[in-house]
Amino acid sequence: MAAAARPRRPGSVVVGVDGSDGALSAALWAAEEARLRGSALVLVHATDTDSLARYVFQAEIDESRANGRELLDRTAETVAARHPDLPVGRELSDRPPAEALRRAAAPCGTIVVGSRGRGGFAPLLLGSVGLRTAATASTPVIVVRGHGGTRRPGAVLAGIRDEHDLGCARAAAHEALSRRRPLRLLHVWSTALPGGEWRASRDRLRDRAAGHVLVQSRAARILVDEFPGLEIETEGEKHPSVPAALVEASRDAALLIVGGRRAPGYLGPVLGRTALALLEHAHCPVELVPRHGPGHGSTS
């Protein structure tokens, strides 16, 4: 008998708002996500006045807080106009934005950010707050990009790297079920082989290819048992660039979910090359699910 699907962990959908168009699109996208999950939405605005207190007058801090409260109220009203029955919380924080979002989402919420904030000069690049949040959060982070925060039909796409991405695949299955869309498991491996491997025996190369095929087929077998009735497609692809292949696959996806591979850096955790490329160039919203296993730095 097939096992019942594991329930999604409880937790609010937390979204950062800063007055930009991108943040408003992210808030509306997050509201729909919360509705699909049956969870609450929490709007967070961070003034970062804790770090500025010694450099500015109290009147300026008070004004910043008053503007933040007004922004939260306006955004909540916009959300309520579309989702009148959705529970919406508002949090005004004096902390830096990434820290405020992490605290609001702890221990098991999901953070949503826009692809650009109020500053910046390159529309394709992820803003500093979104980048910092994605690199340091210990809970899932969704960056809304690709089509202005509006939803479109398409499969939920999960990029599967190895056996440590089963949690990512389960998160994608929940998303597909909530949207009543198919789940597409895609495993891409690079055709650029380590030095000398081109001279390896044909049997070794065949075994290497078979190992790649097993990655998504093993995940699919587990998900078929845990999510009976979910339409699951599996695909393996060789490509010179794994990030480029996933970016191209995202053109037809409603949501792309990948493992958030992070490693220690000089100034704190940094995102892996593939995750960073997807957050900057994907054609649909991207969800990073924390990975656990060898080679993955802690974000706590």
Side-chain angles (χ1 to χ4, degrees):
M1 182 176 179
R6 294 188 178 187
R8 183 189 293 273
R9 290 191 307 168
S12 299
V13 176
V14 175
V15 60
V17 294
D18 62 5
S20 66
D21 291 341
L24 179 59
S25 293
L28 294 174
W29 194 97
E32 177 65 13
E33 180 71 13
R35 185 192 68 81
L36 290 172
R37 296 185 179 196
S39 62
L41 175 70
V42 178
L43 307 174
V44 175
H45 177 72
T47 63
D48 197 13
T49 49
D50 273 356
S51 62
L52 299 175
R54 67 177 66 182
Y55 306 111
V56 299
F57 294 110
Q58 184 62 43
E60 294 175 285
I61 294 177
D62 293 341
E63 182 181 4
S64 178
R65 290 171 177 165
N67 290 337
R69 284 190 289 270
E70 182 182 350
L71 173 61
L72 288 170
D73 290 342
R74 287 201 313 269
T75 307
E77 289 172 2
T78 302
V79 169
R82 296 196 184 188
H83 305 281
D85 297 326
L86 179 67
V88 179
R90 283 164 274 193
E91 290 194 16
L92 181 67
S93 174
D94 293 333
R95 299 176 182 275
E99 182 181 349
L101 289 168
R102 292 196 307 270
R103 285 175 171 267
C108 55
T110 296
I111 300 171
V112 178
V113 294
S115 59
R116 291 298 297 172
R118 296 184 61 86
F121 54 88
L124 284 178
L125 299 180
L126 181 63
S128 59
V129 171
L131 184 60
R132 181 64 180 167
T133 303
T136 58
S138 58
T139 58
V141 176
I142 301 175
V143 175
V144 178
R145 57 167 300 112
H147 43 86
T150 58
R151 291 186 180 270
R152 62 181 180 181
V156 172
L157 175 64
I160 304 300
R161 176 185 172 94
D162 54 35
E163 66 275 10
H164 299 297
D165 274 334
L166 184 56
C168 165
R170 286 192 176 108
H174 280 295
E175 294 285 2
L177 277 178
S178 69
R179 289 166 170 75
R180 300 182 181 179
R181 304 301 304 171
L183 170 63
R184 181 186 176 198
L185 300 178
L186 176 60
H187 172 63
V188 182
W189 65 94
S190 175
T191 54
L193 299 176
E197 192 157 342
W198 285 115
R199 296 189 294 275
S201 70
R202 183 174 300 176
D203 287 343
R204 278 186 61 194
L205 294 177
R206 186 181 298 113
D207 290 343
R208 186 175 185 271
H212 285 296
V213 172
L214 284 175
V215 170
Q216 78 270 24
S217 62
R218 285 172 176 166
R221 285 197 300 270
I222 293 172
L223 296 183
V224 165
D225 287 339
E226 294 185 359
F227 298 85
L230 176 62
E231 181 182 346
I232 302 176
E233 307 166 3
T234 62
E235 183 180 350
E237 179 182 346
K238 294 184 296 182
H239 198 280
S241 168
V242 172
L246 290 171
V247 167
E248 182 61 27
S250 73
R251 289 185 183 274
D252 300 319
L255 175 67
L256 168 59
I257 303 179
V258 293
R261 193 176 185 214
R262 304 176 178 96
Y266 289 113
L267 300 177
V270 295
L271 291 170
R273 182 172 64 93
T274 297
L276 181 59
L278 294 176
L279 293 184
E280 292 184 339
H281 301 294
H283 301 283
C284 69
V286 179
E287 178 173 355
L288 294 185
V289 176
R291 283 170 57 98
H292 303 284
H296 304 291
S298 172
T299 59
S300 59

